[in-house]
Amino acid sequence: MINVDLIGQIRRAYFEQGRPIKEIVRTLSVSRATVRKVIRGEETTELRYTARAAQPSPKLGPWIKDLVEILEAEAKLPRRERRSTQRLFETLRGRGYEGAHDSVHRYAKAWRSDQRRTPAHAYVPMSFAPGEAYQFDWSHETITFQGLPLMVKAAHMKLSHSRMPFVRVYFRETQELVFDAHDKAFAFYGGVCRRGIYDNMKTAVEAILVGKARKYNQRFLQMCSHHLVDPVACSPASGWEKGQVENQVGNMRDQLFLPKPRVTSLTELNAWLEDQCIAYARRTRHPEFRDRTIWEVFQEERASLMALRGPFDGFVEKAVRATTTCLIMADHNRYSVGARAAGQMVLVRSYAERIVVLFNNEVVANHLRHFRRDQIIYDPWHYLPVLVKKPGALRNGAPFKDWDLPPCLTRVRTKLKSHADGDRQFVKLLGAVLDHGLDAVEAACAEALEAGIASGDVILTVLARQRQPAVPASIITPAALRLNIEPMADCGRYDSIRMLA
């Protein structure tokens, strides 16, 4: 910018003093173009330099064709799968580009802007007190799971004051997984904010009323009540009301999910994500407090968080009828239940990692949850009361295939297979588990095998002997109660009495 004082000096030197342009340039340290612009124009106000219509990029020029090809290919993809300009820069660098990132960023931004042609929106910047609020959202990400591509659901939470991120991945985004994500996030933060900001996800909001009024899901309200959180839902289609977590979705996708992480389990991936969230916070400057990192501001905010009240019992309950084959349906899979619940109405509680089944307020099944569909998950012990009555089912019964039994029971089963009634004998041993417990039956099998015997009746006898009460210890007479002259056992005294008679 050329101010008014400098313009006056140029005009006086040229028009009054008659000095040549070359001398004015040397004396006042301005460019020839500036001097010519002042003396040819009549303006005496400040001169401002205007931005170039097209910024030159000499090093990017040969690579523009490659960059456009990448941008055109990615324009057909969903926004979450498009690479950032930093990733585009790294791709071109790998092909031999030697220019700067700014040139790539500037060109890609202009190209995408020309493609969209959407008007800009104005927003009001938000500010939050420490511990005041967090924002929650879901995103869909692609990973390489056990060698195959898989779409997973990522739960995102962000503290509104410190901007501390948290990301956890699940196979679904159902309500019980929302509960688990909150428990894990609050444990990660070491406390709870007073307000939670959400969009109108179906697992939380059942109906949108006038204005900000919402009809929340009752189980979701129970979770908020447990953690003392006041839930707030955004206006429909107004993602900017929780813009911090919306921005985090894009940033973390670029940081954590591009390229696709290769994992063998979600437990491994979630542990890595927590470490990466901490590493990101340690190296990133806070957008408001530029002299500190996000991690440093988060450490200060921790003192303002509410104390943890323990994990919420986050299950989703559903009443179903168990089949006569002792199976119930849960999340597109079938799970076995105790035989006494066959054909009865039971309550199925779906947790993030387990499926628990209750019958008359008693647990009749507790399985690890499986997320692949159309699976049948058996617990052979659920069928033991039926097996006792129908021992022939041992050989071909689906629940008993590849039964993982204790080692001694497995050896006994192998030895009994050579007997004509080996299955019946082995079922008797299994039936004893109902009365005596698995540990006692396993100990009896170990004792019988040590003696070189593998017979069902012998093992049951050993088990019965083990269950017999111990012989009581003999009573020892204290010295003070002993007689000085102990009586003698003499049967001849009876003969003397008979003779007297």
Side-chain angles (χ1 to χ4, degrees), residues 40-61:
R40 290 174 182 173
E42 297 297 330
E43 290 290 337
T44 57
T45 57
E46 295 177 342
L47 295 180
R48 297 180 180 271
Y49 294 109
T50 56
R52 293 174 175 173
Q55 187 75 14
S57 301
K59 292 188 177 181
L60 181 62

Side-chain angles (χ1 to χ4, degrees), residues 6-38:
L6 184 56
I7 291 175
Q9 293 181 46
I10 295 173
R11 288 174 62 83
R12 284 192 296 272
Y14 185 80
F15 291 110
E16 293 183 7
Q17 302 170 12
R19 298 165 63 184
I21 292 177
K22 183 176 181 180
E23 184 180 345
I24 296 173
V25 169
R26 184 174 62 251
T27 305
L28 299 181
S29 299
V30 292
S31 68
R32 290 176 178 270
T34 300
V35 175
R36 290 193 179 99
K37 189 171 184 179
V38 170

Side-chain angles (χ1 to χ4, degrees), residues 44 53 55 119 137 212 252 276 301 318 347 386 408 455 496:
T44 57
Q55 187 75 14
D137 201 5
K212 287 290 186 180
M252 288 305 178
Q276 292 301 307
E301 186 181 18
K318 182 180 180 181
L347 290 177
V386 182
C408 293
S455 169
S496 64

Side-chain angles (χ1 to χ4, degrees), residues 65-368:
K65 182 179 178 181
D66 295 51
L67 180 57
V68 170
E69 288 178 358
I70 297 173
L71 292 172
E72 288 177 347
E74 294 198 345
K76 302 175 184 178
L77 301 175
R79 288 193 63 181
R80 63 174 175 267
E81 296 184 15
R82 299 175 193 170
R83 282 174 284 186
S84 66
T85 56
Q86 178 65 31
R87 297 290 184 182
L88 295 175
F89 166 68
E90 292 173 358
T91 301
L92 292 180
R93 291 275 289 186
R95 298 184 183 183
Y97 170 63
E98 297 181 352
H101 165 262
D102 288 348
S103 299
V104 178
H105 175 80
R106 190 163 47 245
Y107 188 89
K109 183 178 179 181
W111 189 91
R112 288 169 174 170
S113 179
D114 289 342
Q115 296 296 314
R116 290 193 301 265
R117 295 293 184 186
T118 56
H121 295 278
Y123 303 96
V124 177
M126 308 298 289
S127 179
F128 297 88
E132 178 184 353
Y134 64 82
Q135 300 179 13
F136 181 86
D137 201 5
W138 286 96
S139 73
H140 295 182
E141 310 296 345
T142 303
I143 64 172
T144 302
F145 184 75
Q146 298 179 356
L148 297 174
L150 177 68
M151 177 73 76
V152 293
K153 315 305 186 291
H156 294 258
M157 187 176 287
K158 192 169 193 175
L159 300 186
S160 299
H161 174 74
S162 65
R163 310 298 206 277
M164 184 65 192
F166 174 80
V167 183
R168 189 173 180 84
V169 165
Y170 298 93
F171 291 112
R172 309 269 196 278
E173 51 182 304
T174 51
Q175 192 175 57
E176 64 272 16
L177 301 180
V178 172
F179 299 153
D180 184 74
H182 281 72
D183 284 341
K184 297 297 190 297
F186 295 152
F188 174 76
Y189 292 136
V192 185
C193 292
R194 291 160 181 78
R195 187 157 54 97
I197 303 174
Y198 303 87
D199 57 16
N200 298 283
M201 55 187 186
K202 293 182 180 180
T203 52
V205 177
E206 292 183 352
I208 301 175
L209 307 179
V210 179
K212 287 290 186 180
R214 300 288 186 273
K215 181 183 178 182
Y216 290 100
N217 179 278
Q218 292 301 305
R219 283 290 291 165
F220 178 78
L221 285 180
Q222 289 178 24
M223 186 271 292
C224 293
S225 175
H226 174 82
H227 292 298
L228 305 180
V229 172
D230 179 23
V232 177
C234 299
S235 302
S238 301
W240 59 83
E241 294 184 10
K242 54 179 181 61
Q244 292 181 4
V245 74
E246 294 280 355
N247 186 51
Q248 173 179 304
V249 168
N251 287 342
M252 288 305 178
R253 176 176 295 128
D254 190 45
Q255 296 283 335
L256 306 178
F257 297 101
L258 292 176
K260 301 173 187 177
R262 306 178 66 90
V263 297
T264 57
S265 70
L266 291 195
T267 302
E268 171 193 349
L269 177 58
N270 285 325
W272 180 77
L273 288 174
E274 286 193 14
D275 292 340
Q276 292 301 307
C277 286
I278 295 174
Y280 172 81
R282 289 183 183 275
R283 68 174 180 265
T284 306
R285 292 289 174 183
H286 194 279
E288 294 182 11
F289 311 106
R290 302 295 299 177
D291 58 329
R292 288 176 288 171
T293 63
I294 290 176
W295 180 257
E296 292 170 344
V297 179
F298 168 62
Q299 296 302 314
E300 296 177 0
E301 186 181 18
R302 270 185 165 174
S304 302
L305 298 176
M306 295 187 296
L308 286 172
R309 304 181 66 83
F312 175 64
D313 191 14
F315 61 83
V316 173
E317 190 174 73
K318 182 180 180 181
V320 300
R321 183 179 296 278
T323 67
T324 54
T325 53
C326 306
L327 294 172
I328 58 95
M329 180 68 75
D331 192 23
H332 305 282
N333 289 323
R334 287 183 288 174
Y335 298 85
S336 66
V337 298
R340 66 179 183 274
Q344 304 295 322
M345 293 299 296
V346 296
L347 290 177
V348 179
R349 291 181 175 179
S350 299
Y351 290 84
E353 298 177 351
R354 306 200 69 82
I355 297 292
V356 178
V357 184
L358 286 81
F359 175 63
N360 291 336
N361 293 325
E362 294 183 11
V363 176
V364 292
N366 190 340
H367 294 274
L368 281 174

